[in-house]
Short mmCIF file of all heavy atoms in Angstrom, two decimals:
data_model
loop_
_atom_site.label_atom_id
_atom_site.label_comp_id
_atom_site.label_asym_id
_atom_site.label_seq_id
_atom_site.Cartn_x
_atom_site.Cartn_y
_atom_site.Cartn_z
N ILE A 177 -19.27 3.97 -7.42
CA ILE A 177 -19.95 5.15 -7.94
C ILE A 177 -19.17 6.40 -7.53
O ILE A 177 -18.27 6.34 -6.69
CB ILE A 177 -21.40 5.24 -7.44
CG1 ILE A 177 -21.44 5.31 -5.90
CG2 ILE A 177 -22.23 4.07 -7.96
CD1 ILE A 177 -22.82 5.58 -5.32
N THR A 179 -20.20 10.45 -6.49
CA THR A 179 -21.34 11.34 -6.21
C THR A 179 -20.86 12.78 -6.04
O THR A 179 -19.68 13.02 -5.77
CB THR A 179 -22.08 10.88 -4.94
OG1 THR A 179 -21.20 10.99 -3.81
CG2 THR A 179 -22.56 9.45 -5.08
N ALA A 187 -26.84 16.00 3.97
CA ALA A 187 -27.43 14.67 4.03
C ALA A 187 -27.95 14.34 5.42
O ALA A 187 -28.83 13.50 5.58
CB ALA A 187 -26.39 13.62 3.62
N GLU A 188 -27.42 15.01 6.44
CA GLU A 188 -27.77 14.66 7.81
C GLU A 188 -28.39 15.82 8.58
O GLU A 188 -28.56 15.75 9.78
CB GLU A 188 -26.51 14.16 8.54
CG GLU A 188 -25.93 12.92 7.86
CD GLU A 188 -24.65 12.46 8.52
OE1 GLU A 188 -24.27 13.06 9.54
OE2 GLU A 188 -24.03 11.51 8.01
N SER A 208 -21.61 13.99 3.39
CA SER A 208 -21.77 12.54 3.22
C SER A 208 -22.37 12.29 1.84
O SER A 208 -23.15 13.10 1.34
CB SER A 208 -22.72 11.99 4.29
OG SER A 208 -23.12 10.67 3.96
N PRO A 209 -22.04 11.15 1.21
CA PRO A 209 -22.70 10.77 -0.04
C PRO A 209 -24.00 10.01 0.21
O PRO A 209 -24.55 9.41 -0.72
CB PRO A 209 -21.66 9.87 -0.73
CG PRO A 209 -21.00 9.20 0.41
CD PRO A 209 -20.94 10.21 1.53
N GLN A 210 -24.47 10.03 1.44
CA GLN A 210 -25.56 9.16 1.87
C GLN A 210 -26.77 9.19 0.94
O GLN A 210 -27.26 8.15 0.49
CB GLN A 210 -26.01 9.55 3.28
CG GLN A 210 -27.14 8.69 3.84
CD GLN A 210 -26.74 7.24 3.92
OE1 GLN A 210 -25.65 6.91 4.38
NE2 GLN A 210 -27.61 6.35 3.49
N LEU A 211 -27.28 10.36 0.65
CA LEU A 211 -28.52 10.44 -0.12
C LEU A 211 -28.31 9.93 -1.54
O LEU A 211 -29.18 9.27 -2.11
CB LEU A 211 -29.04 11.87 -0.12
CG LEU A 211 -29.15 12.53 1.28
CD1 LEU A 211 -29.80 13.90 1.16
CD2 LEU A 211 -29.94 11.65 2.24
N TYR A 212 -27.16 10.24 -2.11
CA TYR A 212 -26.90 9.81 -3.49
C TYR A 212 -26.66 8.30 -3.58
O TYR A 212 -27.05 7.65 -4.54
CB TYR A 212 -25.71 10.57 -4.06
CG TYR A 212 -26.03 12.01 -4.36
CD1 TYR A 212 -25.63 13.02 -3.48
CD2 TYR A 212 -26.74 12.37 -5.50
CE1 TYR A 212 -25.93 14.35 -3.75
CE2 TYR A 212 -27.04 13.71 -5.77
CZ TYR A 212 -26.63 14.68 -4.89
OH TYR A 212 -26.93 16.00 -5.15
N LYS A 213 -25.98 7.75 -2.59
CA LYS A 213 -25.73 6.30 -2.68
C LYS A 213 -27.03 5.53 -2.47
O LYS A 213 -27.20 4.45 -3.06
CB LYS A 213 -24.63 5.86 -1.72
CG LYS A 213 -24.93 5.96 -0.24
CD LYS A 213 -23.76 5.39 0.58
CE LYS A 213 -24.07 5.45 2.08
NZ LYS A 213 -23.08 4.75 2.90
N GLN A 214 -27.97 6.08 -1.71
CA GLN A 214 -29.28 5.44 -1.62
C GLN A 214 -29.99 5.48 -2.97
O GLN A 214 -30.58 4.49 -3.40
CB GLN A 214 -30.13 6.14 -0.56
CG GLN A 214 -29.73 5.81 0.87
CD GLN A 214 -30.67 6.47 1.86
OE1 GLN A 214 -30.32 7.47 2.49
NE2 GLN A 214 -31.86 5.93 2.00
N ILE A 215 -29.93 6.61 -3.63
CA ILE A 215 -30.55 6.72 -4.96
C ILE A 215 -29.94 5.69 -5.90
O ILE A 215 -30.65 5.03 -6.68
CB ILE A 215 -30.36 8.14 -5.52
CG1 ILE A 215 -31.18 9.15 -4.71
CG2 ILE A 215 -30.75 8.20 -6.99
CD1 ILE A 215 -30.88 10.61 -5.05
N MET A 216 -28.64 5.48 -5.82
CA MET A 216 -27.96 4.56 -6.73
C MET A 216 -28.24 3.10 -6.42
O MET A 216 -27.98 2.22 -7.25
CB MET A 216 -26.47 4.84 -6.73
CG MET A 216 -26.10 6.20 -7.32
SD MET A 216 -26.70 6.45 -9.01
CE MET A 216 -25.67 5.30 -9.89
N VAL A 217 -28.78 2.81 -5.23
CA VAL A 217 -29.25 1.45 -4.96
C VAL A 217 -30.36 1.08 -5.95
O VAL A 217 -30.48 -0.08 -6.35
CB VAL A 217 -29.74 1.32 -3.50
CG1 VAL A 217 -30.57 0.06 -3.30
CG2 VAL A 217 -28.54 1.32 -2.55
N GLY A 218 -31.13 2.07 -6.35
CA GLY A 218 -32.18 1.83 -7.34
C GLY A 218 -31.63 1.55 -8.74
O GLY A 218 -32.37 1.16 -9.64
N VAL A 219 -30.33 1.74 -8.92
CA VAL A 219 -29.69 1.50 -10.22
C VAL A 219 -28.91 0.19 -10.21
O VAL A 219 -29.16 -0.72 -11.01
CB VAL A 219 -28.75 2.66 -10.59
CG1 VAL A 219 -28.09 2.41 -11.95
CG2 VAL A 219 -29.50 3.99 -10.59
N PHE A 220 -27.97 0.07 -9.25
CA PHE A 220 -27.06 -1.08 -9.23
C PHE A 220 -27.31 -2.04 -8.06
O PHE A 220 -26.65 -3.07 -7.97
CB PHE A 220 -25.61 -0.59 -9.15
CG PHE A 220 -25.15 0.13 -10.39
CD1 PHE A 220 -24.75 1.46 -10.33
CD2 PHE A 220 -25.11 -0.51 -11.62
CE1 PHE A 220 -24.31 2.12 -11.46
CE2 PHE A 220 -24.67 0.14 -12.75
CZ PHE A 220 -24.28 1.47 -12.69
N GLU A 221 -28.22 -1.70 -7.16
CA GLU A 221 -28.57 -2.49 -5.97
C GLU A 221 -27.48 -2.51 -4.91
O GLU A 221 -27.76 -2.40 -3.73
CB GLU A 221 -28.96 -3.93 -6.34
CG GLU A 221 -30.18 -4.00 -7.25
CD GLU A 221 -30.55 -5.43 -7.59
OE1 GLU A 221 -30.04 -6.39 -6.95
OE2 GLU A 221 -31.37 -5.61 -8.52
N ARG A 222 -26.22 -2.66 -5.33
CA ARG A 222 -25.10 -2.68 -4.38
C ARG A 222 -24.03 -1.71 -4.88
O ARG A 222 -23.48 -1.90 -5.96
CB ARG A 222 -24.50 -4.09 -4.28
CG ARG A 222 -25.45 -5.09 -3.67
CD ARG A 222 -24.81 -6.47 -3.57
NE ARG A 222 -25.57 -7.30 -2.65
CZ ARG A 222 -25.06 -8.25 -1.87
NH1 ARG A 222 -23.75 -8.50 -1.92
NH2 ARG A 222 -25.83 -8.96 -1.07
N VAL A 223 -23.74 -0.68 -4.07
CA VAL A 223 -22.81 0.36 -4.52
C VAL A 223 -21.85 0.73 -3.40
O VAL A 223 -22.12 0.52 -2.22
CB VAL A 223 -23.57 1.63 -4.98
CG1 VAL A 223 -24.45 1.32 -6.18
CG2 VAL A 223 -24.40 2.23 -3.85
N PHE A 224 -20.72 1.31 -3.80
CA PHE A 224 -19.77 1.85 -2.83
C PHE A 224 -19.06 3.05 -3.43
O PHE A 224 -19.04 3.23 -4.66
CB PHE A 224 -18.76 0.80 -2.38
CG PHE A 224 -17.74 0.41 -3.41
CD1 PHE A 224 -16.52 1.08 -3.49
CD2 PHE A 224 -17.97 -0.63 -4.28
CE1 PHE A 224 -15.56 0.72 -4.43
CE2 PHE A 224 -17.03 -1.01 -5.23
CZ PHE A 224 -15.82 -0.33 -5.30
N GLU A 225 -18.49 3.86 -2.55
CA GLU A 225 -17.73 5.02 -2.98
C GLU A 225 -16.55 5.24 -2.04
O GLU A 225 -16.66 4.99 -0.83
CB GLU A 225 -18.59 6.28 -3.02
CG GLU A 225 -17.82 7.52 -3.50
CD GLU A 225 -18.70 8.75 -3.70
OE1 GLU A 225 -19.69 8.90 -2.97
OE2 GLU A 225 -18.37 9.56 -4.58
N ASP A 248 -17.73 4.39 1.78
CA ASP A 248 -19.19 4.26 1.89
C ASP A 248 -19.71 3.05 1.16
O ASP A 248 -19.26 2.73 0.05
CB ASP A 248 -19.85 5.52 1.33
CG ASP A 248 -19.95 6.62 2.36
OD1 ASP A 248 -19.02 7.42 2.48
OD2 ASP A 248 -20.98 6.66 3.06
N VAL A 249 -20.71 2.41 1.77
CA VAL A 249 -21.33 1.20 1.22
C VAL A 249 -22.84 1.31 1.35
O VAL A 249 -23.34 1.81 2.36
CB VAL A 249 -20.86 -0.05 1.99
CG1 VAL A 249 -21.53 -1.31 1.45
CG2 VAL A 249 -19.35 -0.19 1.93
N GLU A 250 -23.55 0.85 0.34
CA GLU A 250 -25.02 0.77 0.42
C GLU A 250 -25.48 -0.45 -0.37
O GLU A 250 -24.99 -0.70 -1.48
CB GLU A 250 -25.67 2.04 -0.13
CG GLU A 250 -27.05 2.31 0.43
CD GLU A 250 -27.06 2.82 1.86
OE1 GLU A 250 -26.01 3.30 2.35
OE2 GLU A 250 -28.13 2.74 2.52
N MET A 251 -26.42 -1.22 0.19
CA MET A 251 -26.88 -2.45 -0.46
C MET A 251 -28.39 -2.58 -0.37
O MET A 251 -29.00 -2.23 0.64
CB MET A 251 -26.20 -3.68 0.15
CG MET A 251 -26.49 -3.87 1.62
SD MET A 251 -25.47 -5.15 2.41
CE MET A 251 -25.98 -6.62 1.53
N GLY A 252 -29.01 -3.07 -1.45
CA GLY A 252 -30.45 -3.22 -1.51
C GLY A 252 -30.92 -4.64 -1.32
O GLY A 252 -30.13 -5.59 -1.33
N PRO A 354 -29.96 10.05 12.12
CA PRO A 354 -30.50 10.97 11.11
C PRO A 354 -31.91 10.56 10.66
O PRO A 354 -32.39 9.46 10.95
CB PRO A 354 -29.50 10.86 9.96
CG PRO A 354 -28.85 9.54 10.14
CD PRO A 354 -28.80 9.28 11.62
N PHE A 355 -32.55 11.45 9.92
CA PHE A 355 -33.96 11.27 9.55
C PHE A 355 -34.21 10.05 8.70
O PHE A 355 -35.32 9.51 8.66
CB PHE A 355 -34.46 12.52 8.82
CG PHE A 355 -33.91 12.68 7.42
CD1 PHE A 355 -34.60 12.17 6.32
CD2 PHE A 355 -32.71 13.35 7.20
CE1 PHE A 355 -34.10 12.32 5.04
CE2 PHE A 355 -32.20 13.50 5.92
CZ PHE A 355 -32.89 12.98 4.84
N TYR A 356 -33.21 9.56 7.97
CA TYR A 356 -33.43 8.44 7.06
C TYR A 356 -33.26 7.08 7.73
O TYR A 356 -33.40 6.04 7.09
CB TYR A 356 -32.50 8.54 5.85
CG TYR A 356 -31.05 8.76 6.20
CD1 TYR A 356 -30.24 7.72 6.67
CD2 TYR A 356 -30.47 10.02 6.08
CE1 TYR A 356 -28.92 7.92 7.00
CE2 TYR A 356 -29.13 10.24 6.42
CZ TYR A 356 -28.37 9.19 6.86
OH TYR A 356 -27.07 9.38 7.19
N ALA A 357 -32.92 7.04 9.04
CA ALA A 357 -32.76 5.78 9.75
C ALA A 357 -34.10 5.07 9.87
O ALA A 357 -35.12 5.67 10.23
CB ALA A 357 -32.16 6.02 11.12
N HIS A 358 -34.13 3.79 9.55
CA HIS A 358 -35.38 3.03 9.59
C HIS A 358 -35.81 2.81 11.04
O HIS A 358 -35.03 2.34 11.87
CB HIS A 358 -35.20 1.67 8.91
CG HIS A 358 -36.49 1.01 8.54
ND1 HIS A 358 -37.37 0.53 9.48
CD2 HIS A 358 -37.05 0.77 7.32
CE1 HIS A 358 -38.43 0.00 8.86
NE2 HIS A 358 -38.25 0.15 7.54
N GLY A 381 -26.64 1.27 9.22
CA GLY A 381 -27.94 0.74 9.56
C GLY A 381 -28.84 0.59 8.35
O GLY A 381 -28.42 0.81 7.21
N GLN A 382 -30.07 0.18 8.63
CA GLN A 382 -31.09 0.11 7.58
C GLN A 382 -31.70 1.49 7.40
O GLN A 382 -31.87 2.24 8.37
CB GLN A 382 -32.17 -0.90 7.93
CG GLN A 382 -33.21 -1.07 6.83
CD GLN A 382 -34.23 -2.16 7.11
OE1 GLN A 382 -34.08 -2.91 8.08
NE2 GLN A 382 -35.27 -2.27 6.30
N ARG A 383 -32.04 1.84 6.14
CA ARG A 383 -32.64 3.14 5.84
C ARG A 383 -34.13 2.98 5.57
O ARG A 383 -34.61 1.90 5.20
CB ARG A 383 -31.98 3.76 4.60
CG ARG A 383 -30.53 3.45 4.38
CD ARG A 383 -29.62 3.90 5.49
NE ARG A 383 -28.22 3.77 5.07
CZ ARG A 383 -27.18 3.98 5.86
NH1 ARG A 383 -27.36 4.33 7.12
NH2 ARG A 383 -25.93 3.85 5.40
N ILE A 384 -34.84 4.07 5.68
CA ILE A 384 -36.26 4.08 5.29
C ILE A 384 -36.34 3.96 3.77
O ILE A 384 -35.63 4.67 3.05
CB ILE A 384 -36.94 5.38 5.76
CG1 ILE A 384 -36.95 5.45 7.29
CG2 ILE A 384 -38.36 5.48 5.20
CD1 ILE A 384 -37.45 6.78 7.84
N HIS A 385 -37.19 3.05 3.28
CA HIS A 385 -37.37 2.92 1.83
C HIS A 385 -38.79 3.25 1.38
O HIS A 385 -39.05 3.42 0.19
CB HIS A 385 -37.01 1.51 1.36
CG HIS A 385 -37.88 0.44 1.94
ND1 HIS A 385 -37.67 -0.11 3.18
CD2 HIS A 385 -38.99 -0.17 1.42
CE1 HIS A 385 -38.60 -1.02 3.42
NE2 HIS A 385 -39.41 -1.08 2.38
N ASP A 386 -39.73 3.37 2.32
CA ASP A 386 -41.11 3.70 2.01
C ASP A 386 -41.28 5.22 1.93
O ASP A 386 -40.88 5.94 2.85
CB ASP A 386 -42.03 3.12 3.08
CG ASP A 386 -43.49 3.46 2.84
OD1 ASP A 386 -44.12 2.81 2.00
OD2 ASP A 386 -43.96 4.43 3.49
N LEU A 390 -40.86 8.04 4.91
CA LEU A 390 -39.76 8.99 4.80
C LEU A 390 -40.26 10.42 4.97
O LEU A 390 -39.64 11.23 5.68
CB LEU A 390 -39.06 8.82 3.45
CG LEU A 390 -37.85 9.72 3.21
CD1 LEU A 390 -36.76 9.46 4.24
CD2 LEU A 390 -37.31 9.54 1.80
N LEU A 404 -35.03 18.69 0.14
CA LEU A 404 -34.69 17.28 -0.04
C LEU A 404 -35.47 16.63 -1.17
O LEU A 404 -35.45 15.41 -1.34
CB LEU A 404 -34.96 16.52 1.27
CG LEU A 404 -34.08 16.90 2.45
CD1 LEU A 404 -34.64 16.32 3.74
CD2 LEU A 404 -32.65 16.45 2.23
N GLY A 406 -35.04 16.43 -4.37
CA GLY A 406 -34.27 15.66 -5.33
C GLY A 406 -33.94 14.26 -4.83
O GLY A 406 -33.69 13.35 -5.62
N TYR A 407 -33.93 14.10 -3.52
CA TYR A 407 -33.66 12.82 -2.88
C TYR A 407 -34.94 12.02 -2.68
O TYR A 407 -35.02 10.85 -3.05
CB TYR A 407 -32.96 13.07 -1.55
CG TYR A 407 -32.98 11.95 -0.56
CD1 TYR A 407 -32.26 10.78 -0.78
CD2 TYR A 407 -33.68 12.07 0.65
CE1 TYR A 407 -32.26 9.75 0.16
CE2 TYR A 407 -33.67 11.06 1.59
CZ TYR A 407 -32.97 9.90 1.35
OH TYR A 407 -32.96 8.90 2.29
N THR A 408 -35.97 12.66 -2.14
CA THR A 408 -37.18 11.92 -1.79
C THR A 408 -37.95 11.43 -3.03
O THR A 408 -38.70 10.47 -2.95
CB THR A 408 -38.12 12.78 -0.93
OG1 THR A 408 -38.45 13.99 -1.65
CG2 THR A 408 -37.44 13.16 0.38
N VAL A 410 -37.05 9.72 -5.55
CA VAL A 410 -36.77 8.35 -5.98
C VAL A 410 -37.58 7.32 -5.21
O VAL A 410 -37.84 6.23 -5.69
CB VAL A 410 -35.25 8.05 -5.85
CG1 VAL A 410 -34.83 7.88 -4.39
CG2 VAL A 410 -34.88 6.82 -6.66
N PHE A 411 -38.03 7.68 -4.01
CA PHE A 411 -38.76 6.72 -3.19
C PHE A 411 -40.21 6.53 -3.65
O PHE A 411 -40.93 5.70 -3.10
CB PHE A 411 -38.69 7.13 -1.71
CG PHE A 411 -37.29 7.05 -1.17
CD1 PHE A 411 -36.44 8.14 -1.22
CD2 PHE A 411 -36.81 5.86 -0.64
CE1 PHE A 411 -35.14 8.06 -0.76
CE2 PHE A 411 -35.51 5.77 -0.17
CZ PHE A 411 -34.67 6.87 -0.23
N GLY A 414 -40.49 2.54 -6.17
CA GLY A 414 -40.19 1.16 -5.82
C GLY A 414 -38.81 0.90 -5.23
O GLY A 414 -38.17 -0.09 -5.57
N MET A 415 -38.34 1.74 -4.33
CA MET A 415 -37.04 1.49 -3.71
C MET A 415 -37.11 0.27 -2.79
O MET A 415 -38.03 0.13 -1.99
CB MET A 415 -36.59 2.71 -2.91
CG MET A 415 -36.05 3.83 -3.78
SD MET A 415 -34.48 3.40 -4.57
CE MET A 415 -33.36 3.47 -3.19
N PRO A 416 -36.13 -0.64 -2.88
CA PRO A 416 -36.15 -1.85 -2.05
C PRO A 416 -35.65 -1.56 -0.64
O PRO A 416 -35.01 -0.53 -0.40
CB PRO A 416 -35.19 -2.78 -2.78
CG PRO A 416 -34.17 -1.84 -3.37
CD PRO A 416 -34.96 -0.61 -3.78
N PRO A 417 -35.91 -2.46 0.30
CA PRO A 417 -35.28 -2.32 1.62
C PRO A 417 -33.76 -2.29 1.44
O PRO A 417 -33.20 -3.10 0.70
CB PRO A 417 -35.71 -3.58 2.37
CG PRO A 417 -36.96 -4.02 1.67
CD PRO A 417 -36.77 -3.65 0.22
N HIS A 418 -33.10 -1.35 2.09
CA HIS A 418 -31.67 -1.19 1.87
C HIS A 418 -31.00 -0.60 3.11
O HIS A 418 -31.67 -0.05 3.99
CB HIS A 418 -31.38 -0.31 0.66
CG HIS A 418 -31.89 1.09 0.78
ND1 HIS A 418 -33.22 1.43 0.58
CD2 HIS A 418 -31.25 2.25 1.10
CE1 HIS A 418 -33.37 2.73 0.76
NE2 HIS A 418 -32.20 3.25 1.08
N GLY A 419 -29.68 -0.72 3.14
CA GLY A 419 -28.91 -0.18 4.25
C GLY A 419 -27.44 -0.13 3.90
O GLY A 419 -27.02 -0.63 2.85
N GLY A 420 -26.68 0.45 4.78
CA GLY A 420 -25.26 0.57 4.50
C GLY A 420 -24.51 1.16 5.68
O GLY A 420 -25.04 1.26 6.79
N PHE A 421 -23.28 1.55 5.41
CA PHE A 421 -22.43 2.10 6.45
C PHE A 421 -21.32 2.90 5.82
O PHE A 421 -21.12 2.89 4.59
CB PHE A 421 -21.84 0.99 7.33
CG PHE A 421 -21.09 -0.07 6.57
CD1 PHE A 421 -19.74 0.08 6.27
CD2 PHE A 421 -21.73 -1.23 6.16
CE1 PHE A 421 -19.05 -0.88 5.57
CE2 PHE A 421 -21.04 -2.21 5.46
CZ PHE A 421 -19.70 -2.04 5.15
#
Side-chain angles (χ1 to χ4, degrees):
I177 60 173
T179 63
E188 300 177 4
S208 166
Q210 181 60 45
L211 309 186
Y212 288 101
K213 67 176 182 172
Q214 285 183 256
I215 292 171
M216 294 304 290
V217 165
V219 181
F220 293 118
E221 298 181 13
R222 294 181 163 212
V223 298
F224 71 91
E225 181 173 32
D248 274 89
V249 178
E250 205 74 19
M251 61 190 297
F355 72 92
Y356 50 77
H358 198 292
Q382 183 175 352
R383 327 300 190 186
I384 296 173
H385 63 277
D386 178 80
L390 182 61
L404 295 167
Y407 161 69
T408 58
V410 73
F411 294 91
M415 283 292 287
H418 62 281
F421 55 87

